[in-house]
């Protein structure tokens, strides 16, 4: 973080994934402020936190399609999967998560700041984070730490431990 490497096979951006088992989601959330934020502050970094749960909650609260689709899903249980798929498409088409990350990075001091992206589990079942990183990678200009519930499998990541392995991340994995 403090000394980013250029010409790395993983890319030239300082995007790091702090990967943890899904069983540890609650524990990681509890320690976010008392451990991770404090550690960053002790290293002289100013932390901005972006919760994807909050991003989705705010989007779906106002999204007209979600309101209509939600009524259908309650009335017709077998349409629930289709509703989730449609909600995910709407979320992706409007690039809600991508725009939220790019907006949040504007609040980060590029010299001594870092963006923590939390609550990735909230994007399931709508999308995965790999395609989001790919879309915005060239627009990232501040260090980012992604708190990633899943598994590291060699050089690939496995979101939530059950999605297929994705080796297209250009970031560093820990």
């Amino acid at each position: 973080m403090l000394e980013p490497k250029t010409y790395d096979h993983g890319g030239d951006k300082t995007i790091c994934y702090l990967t943890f088992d899904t069983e540890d989601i609650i524990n990681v959330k509890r320690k976010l402020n008392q451990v991770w934020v404090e550690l960053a502050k002790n290293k002289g970094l100013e932390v901005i936190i972006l919760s994807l749960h909050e991003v989705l909650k705010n989007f779906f609260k106002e999204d007209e399609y979600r309101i209509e689709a939600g009524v259908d899903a309650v009335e017709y249980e077998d349409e629930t999967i289709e509703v989730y798929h449609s909600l995910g498409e709407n979320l992706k088409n409007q690039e809600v998560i991508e725009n939220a990350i790019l907006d949040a990075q504007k609040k980060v001091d590029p010299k001594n700041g870092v963006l923590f992206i939390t609550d990735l589990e909230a994007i399931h079942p709508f999308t995965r984070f790999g395609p989001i990183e790919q879309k915005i990678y060239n627009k990232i200009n501040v260090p980012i730490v992604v708190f990633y519930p899943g598994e590291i499998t060699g050089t690939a990541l496995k979101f939530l431990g059950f999605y297929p392995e994705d080796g297209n991340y250009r970031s560093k994995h820990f």
Side-chain angles (χ1 to χ4, degrees):
M1 270 307 204
L2 298 175
E3 297 176 22
K5 296 177 183 171
T6 55
Y7 307 112
D8 187 309
H9 76 282
D12 61 343
K13 307 292 182 183
T14 307
I15 303 174
C16 302
Y17 283 67
L18 180 62
T19 306
F20 53 90
D21 195 284
T22 55
E23 294 173 3
D24 294 326
I25 289 174
I26 299 296
N27 194 30
V28 169
K29 286 181 190 303
R30 284 187 188 132
K31 292 184 177 180
L32 180 63
N33 287 320
Q34 66 187 144
V35 175
W36 301 111
V37 171
E38 285 304 312
L39 178 64
K41 285 181 181 176
N42 287 336
K43 295 289 184 182
L45 297 171
E46 203 174 297
V47 178
I48 300 294
I49 298 174
L50 176 67
S51 163
L52 294 189
H53 172 262
E54 291 298 317
V55 170
L56 267 60
K57 181 176 80 172
N58 292 335
F59 173 70
F60 286 133
K61 182 171 54 173
E62 302 298 325
D63 183 46
E64 286 300 318
Y65 178 76
R66 191 257 333 146
I67 295 165
E68 271 180 46
V71 171
D72 290 342
V74 170
E75 290 181 23
Y76 308 104
E77 194 173 322
D78 27 322
E79 290 189 22
T80 302
I81 293 172
E82 183 58 35
V83 167
Y84 277 122
H85 178 73
S86 296
L87 290 171
E89 288 303 311
N90 193 24
L91 185 74
K92 289 184 262 187
N93 290 340
Q94 293 188 47
E95 297 184 341
V96 172
I97 298 169
E98 294 88 342
N99 290 329
I101 294 168
L102 295 174
D103 287 346
Q105 90 167 342
K106 293 175 188 171
K107 301 173 187 171
V108 177
D109 181 340
K111 292 182 182 171
N112 70 340
V114 61
L115 176 62
F116 282 5
I117 300 177
T118 65
D119 303 318
L120 252 68
E121 64 277 4
I123 67 175
H124 165 73
F126 308 112
T127 189
R128 296 186 303 178
F129 200 74
I132 294 166
E133 178 190 313
Q134 292 298 317
K135 267 186 168 175
I136 64 172
Y137 186 83
N138 290 324
K139 298 175 185 172
I140 297 298
N141 53 32
V142 299
I144 295 178
V145 175
V146 179
F147 288 79
Y148 189 90
E151 301 171 3
I152 298 175
T153 55
T155 59
L157 294 175
K158 196 171 180 181
F159 184 51
L160 295 174
F162 62 80
Y163 276 95
E165 291 180 7
D166 184 352
N168 292 321
Y169 291 88
R170 294 169 68 186
S171 46
K172 288 78 175 157
H173 310 149
F174 301 98

